[in-house]
Amino acid sequence: MSVSGLNRQQRHIARELATQAAYLSLHHAPAVHYSQGPARFDGIKHHLIAAKGQFPTELDCSASVTWWLAQGLLFRFKLPDIVNGAKWMAGYTGTLAQHGREVIHLRNVIRGDAVLYGPAPTYEHTAMVVGHHNGKPVVISHGSEPGPFLLPFDYRGDVGQIRRYI
Amino acid sequence: MPPTEPVDDDAYADDVADDGITAEDPGPPTDPKAVPPDQGDAGEAGAK
């Protein structure tokens, strides 16, 4: 059984959609602001579909990762909130850490996995894997106003764990 | 809710293989030295 309960083909689609959404945010970085305010989950609230070129403009790191993952898990496959357990209306690194499953070995890390940074159990930052470059996972991270950025997964020295939700 | 069990290494061999075939190399990432420090997360307030 997969983490999400989706079959192999569905998981593939969910990873594609999540990655596509992350790149959409990356490519519109000047319009995507960093915010911990109440609008940070508007991308899900307003059902913004990355495949249609729609994207939210005020998010923090965890809201970004959640909106990216919601493209497949919620909008496409109508799953309950298996990412934060908050009915797709809220979440932060602490709830991300309480859901999904940890990926132990780096060789098994794939697109759509979330990297959690900082001290357990609540952590303080997250980013999502979008591929590999020279054999090393690469993430898109929205942790500051100039972001999102494409970065090596270990661009910070405090990688806590990597979790899978798809 | 406590964290669930880790992913079994073998359980996702298909996913790892699929992704390795279909995922494009994103290209060289940004130099981390050129990125400002992360500003943190909404914290527990974000859970509400």
Side-chain angles (χ1 to χ4, degrees):
Chain A
M1 175 63 78
S2 66
V3 180
S4 59
L6 298 176
N7 65 34
R8 183 177 175 181
Q9 183 179 20
Q10 290 170 326
R11 294 197 298 275
H12 178 78
I13 292 169
R15 285 196 300 272
E16 289 282 349
L17 292 173
T19 303
Q20 179 184 57
Y23 271 103
L24 186 67
S25 297
L26 177 73
H27 293 152
H28 290 85
V32 177
H33 304 291
Y34 180 85
S35 172
Q36 296 179 9
R40 66 196 197 99
F41 274 83
D42 278 3
I44 295 176
K45 180 180 178 182
H46 298 310
H47 209 273
L48 299 185
I49 306 293
K52 295 180 180 178
Q54 302 167 343
F55 60 92
T57 57
E58 294 184 32
L59 314 91
D60 65 358
C61 56
S62 55
S64 296
V65 167
T66 302
W67 180 70
W68 298 335
L69 289 169
Q71 299 300 308
L73 297 179
L74 173 62
F75 298 152
R76 182 66 171 264
F77 296 115
K78 314 299 182 191
L79 294 182
D81 185 1
I82 57 175
V83 177
N84 291 289
K87 299 181 180 177
W88 294 108
M89 295 188 294
Y92 75 113
T93 49
T95 49
L96 286 168
Q98 292 174 335
H99 295 82
R101 286 188 201 157
E102 184 176 6
V103 182
I104 299 294
H105 297 289
L106 203 55
R107 65 175 179 271
N108 288 329
V109 170
I110 53 178
R111 296 180 300 164
D113 291 345
V115 184
L116 292 165
Y117 303 87
T122 54
Y123 303 92
E124 62 185 27
H125 181 62
T126 186
M128 194 185 81
V129 175
V130 295
H132 288 71
H133 181 67
N134 292 337
K136 188 174 183 177
V138 173
V139 298
I140 291 180
S141 168
H142 186 41
S144 62
E145 178 57 32
F149 293 104
L150 183 71
L151 292 161
F153 85 101
D154 56 353
Y155 76 99
R156 291 171 51 140
D158 58 351
V159 173
Q161 60 166 297
I162 301 176
R163 296 191 75 80
R164 182 165 303 166
Y165 307 90
I166 293 174
Chain B
M1 179 189 297
T4 51
E5 294 179 7
V7 172
D8 183 292
D9 271 359
D10 298 324
Y12 288 90
D14 288 345
D15 279 12
V16 174
D18 286 349
D19 210 48
I21 292 170
T22 58
E24 293 181 14
D25 186 329
T30 302
D31 182 350
K33 294 174 185 169
V35 174
D38 295 318
Q39 295 177 22
D41 189 64
E44 291 188 30
K48 301 181 176 73

